[in-house]
Amino acid sequence: QVQLVESGGGLVQAGGSLRLSCAASGRTFSSYTMGWFRQAPGKERAFVGCISRSDGKTYYADSVKGRFTISRDNGKNTVYLQMNSLKPEDTAAYYCAATSLTQWTIPRFYDYWGQGTQVTVSS
């Protein structure tokens, strides 16, 4: 069992930055690929990016590539989402999730989810 708690959301102006954190409980954090998803009102939950459990490689949605960076600290059981050059269209609730599978972009293949943290980007 893994419990995930996100933090770091808030209100920021377009062009600004935020760093989200996701703290995980349990001793098996390093055995999971960690993903970030976002969901805007009236829209489906969308893949933002992930960091693999095996080699720490990262993968991103085209919409955030070059602006967002995911990292993890297995010693602290924490994964981070650094968001730069934020745009109003990045406004959403952001969720971290853990998966032991390889279908990293699909929400239903994730085993555990955090409660989400709201990011609002004003124009």
Side-chain angles (χ1 to χ4, degrees), residues 19-67:
R19 189 176 82 154
L20 306 184
S21 299
C22 174
S25 65
R27 293 175 289 178
T28 59
F29 174 76
S30 61
S31 64
Y32 290 94
T33 290
M34 299 301 296
W36 285 95
F37 290 79
R38 66 187 182 186
Q39 188 167 18
K43 295 189 176 181
E44 293 186 352
R45 194 164 295 190
F47 174 75
V48 173
C50 66
I51 184 165
S52 73
R53 62 180 178 175
S54 56
D55 54 13
K57 286 187 177 179
T58 53
Y59 303 87
Y60 300 96
D62 288 342
S63 58
V64 306
K65 203 172 294 183
R67 299 188 298 122

Side-chain angles (χ1 to χ4, degrees), residues 2-120:
V2 176
Q3 292 185 325
L4 304 173
V5 179
E6 302 98 334
S7 60
L11 174 65
V12 64
Q13 288 189 331
S17 298
L18 279 176
R19 189 176 82 154
L20 306 184
S21 299
C22 174
S25 65
R27 293 175 289 178
T28 59
F29 174 76
S30 61
S31 64
Y32 290 94
T33 290
M34 299 301 296
W36 285 95
F37 290 79
R38 66 187 182 186
Q39 188 167 18
K43 295 189 176 181
E44 293 186 352
R45 194 164 295 190
F47 174 75
V48 173
C50 66
I51 184 165
S52 73
R53 62 180 178 175
S54 56
D55 54 13
K57 286 187 177 179
T58 53
Y59 303 87
Y60 300 96
D62 288 342
S63 58
V64 306
K65 203 172 294 183
R67 299 188 298 122
F68 290 10
T69 303
I70 297 173
S71 60
R72 68 189 297 164
D73 185 337
N74 288 337
K76 294 183 177 180
N77 280 10
T78 302
V79 62
Y80 304 96
L81 177 64
Q82 177 67 44
M83 305 184 294
N84 299 328
S85 302
L86 283 161
K87 305 175 181 180
E89 52 263 43
D90 294 318
T91 295
Y94 283 72
Y95 300 86
C96 70
T99 183
S100 56
L101 303 177
T102 57
Q103 293 90 338
W104 297 335
T105 65
I106 303 173
R108 64 186 175 92
F109 288 110
Y110 280 74
D111 305 301
Y112 304 102
W113 290 85
Q115 83 288 351
T117 186
Q118 179 67 34
V119 172
T120 303

